[in-house]
């Protein structure tokens, strides 16, 4: 698995990070992707302000890896084959970007060679080019990020246990718009070996939906909210 075996900071086919060593937990982007594609069955008993990135520190709580348990597929192939074009057209009707501009933005965000992730217990399995690598991950806390636009987000972080899995990232960071324990219905995932540098990544956010959904169902969910 060349993407994971590089032990680089990136979980993408292209380099995600050139920011190693940057310490402040403040991003340089408005984190626009945190305003999109709410998923099926997502709980609506929490404030829409939280979903849009406006919350207080005392609302944030630790989350177990079981919140993301399941079999997940990357949405990037559906962008590549045109299935998500209707989503970008829909966005263009409600904003100041064209459909093509939206597609270009999400092409950068969604891009990844890891087309499937399976999470069971403490084990996370990455699938790339027909190969798989599994590692055990333990909770390593959360970080609250503040973006230039004034909204905020939370990364829930897990660290690889053991020293034998050389082809796996040392850290994985989940972002799914929720800030306290609840079952995820889609998520953005950041991975690499430098915990602090990953917190600065806001341009690339591989996104995963349940593997039992087809591309059209995912597109419908993205345009329904």
């Amino acid at each position: 698995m060349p993407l994971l075996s590089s032990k680089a900071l990136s979980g993408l086919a292209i380099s995600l990070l050139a920011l190693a060593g940057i310490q402040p937990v403040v991003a340089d982007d408005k984190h626009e992707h945190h305003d999109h594609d709410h998923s099926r069955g997502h709980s609506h008993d929490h404030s829409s302000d939280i979903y849009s990135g406006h919350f207080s520190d005392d609302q944030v709580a630790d989350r177990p890896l079981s919140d993301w348990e399941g079999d997940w597929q990357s949405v990037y192939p559906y962008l590549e084959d045109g299935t998500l074009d209707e989503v970008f057209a829909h966005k263009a009707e409600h904003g100041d970007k064209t459909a093509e501009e939206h597609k270009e933005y999400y092409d950068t965000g969604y891009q990844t060679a890891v087309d499937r992730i399976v999470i069971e217990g403490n084990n996370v399995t990455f699938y790339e080019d027909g190969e798989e690598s599994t590692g055990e991950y333990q909770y390593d806390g959360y970080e609250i990020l503040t973006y230039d636009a004034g909204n905020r987000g939370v990364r829930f972080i897990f660290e690889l246990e053991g020293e034998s899995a050389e082809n796996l990232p040392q850290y994985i960071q989940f972002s799914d718009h929720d800030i306290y324990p609840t079952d995820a219905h889609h998520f953005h995932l950041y991975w690499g070996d430098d915990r602090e540098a990953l917190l600065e990544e806001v341009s690339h956010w591989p996104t995963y939906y349940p593997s039992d959904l087809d591309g059209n169902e995912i597109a419908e969910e993205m345009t329904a909210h």
Side-chain angles (χ1 to χ4, degrees), residues 52 61 65 68 71 77 79 82 87 94 96 101 123 143 146 165 167 174 177-178 180 187 193 212 221-222:
S52 61
L65 188 58
W68 299 275
D71 192 323
L79 181 147
V87 178
H94 302 279
D96 56 3
E101 287 172 332
N123 292 324
E143 298 286 351
T146 300
N167 59 335
F174 290 90
H177 316 285
D178 284 304
Y180 41 68
F187 59 84
D193 296 335
D212 61 357
E221 293 189 5
M222 288 182 174

Side-chain angles (χ1 to χ4, degrees), residues 116-166:
R116 181 186 176 202
I117 294 175
V118 175
I119 300 171
E120 184 175 8
N122 291 325
N123 292 324
V124 179
T125 302
F126 295 83
Y127 291 80
E128 180 190 352
D129 295 330
E131 299 182 16
E132 61 185 81
S133 292
T134 300
E136 181 178 345
Y137 286 83
Q138 297 294 333
Y139 187 57
D140 192 44
Y142 62 78
E143 298 286 351
I144 299 173
L145 309 184
T146 300
Y147 308 114
D148 282 353
N151 61 322
R152 305 199 298 167
V154 182
R155 300 272 185 93
F156 293 92
I157 303 169
F158 295 82
E159 183 176 9
L160 181 66
E161 293 290 301
E163 300 178 355
S164 60
E166 295 183 357

Side-chain angles (χ1 to χ4, degrees), residues 17-56:
L17 295 169
L19 299 168
I22 297 175
Q23 296 302 316
V25 187
V26 179
D28 296 327
D29 188 271
K30 65 180 179 179
H31 224 38
E32 180 178 336
H33 70 282
H34 275 248
D35 296 327
H36 76 273
D37 53 46
H38 304 198
S39 183
R40 67 172 177 174
H42 196 289
S43 174
H44 292 282
D45 59 355
H46 62 303
S47 169
S48 60
D49 287 342
I50 292 176
Y51 211 91
S52 61
H54 300 282
F55 52 84
S56 60

Side-chain angles (χ1 to χ4, degrees), residues 45-84:
D45 59 355
H46 62 303
S47 169
S48 60
D49 287 342
I50 292 176
Y51 211 91
S52 61
H54 300 282
F55 52 84
S56 60
D57 289 2
D58 61 7
Q59 291 177 280
V60 182
D62 294 316
R63 297 175 66 182
L65 188 58
S66 59
D67 275 8
W68 299 275
E69 190 163 41
D71 192 323
W72 306 90
Q73 61 177 319
S74 167
V75 301
Y76 187 56
Y78 299 124
L79 181 147
E80 290 187 295
D81 69 13
T83 302
L84 300 185

Side-chain angles (χ1 to χ4, degrees), residues 8 13 58 75 89 100 111 133 152 154 168 173 186 203 210-211 213:
D58 61 7
V75 301
E100 187 57 36
Q111 188 174 32
S133 292
R152 305 199 298 167
V154 182
L168 289 166
Q173 301 182 357
H186 79 279
S203 298
S211 292
L213 295 179

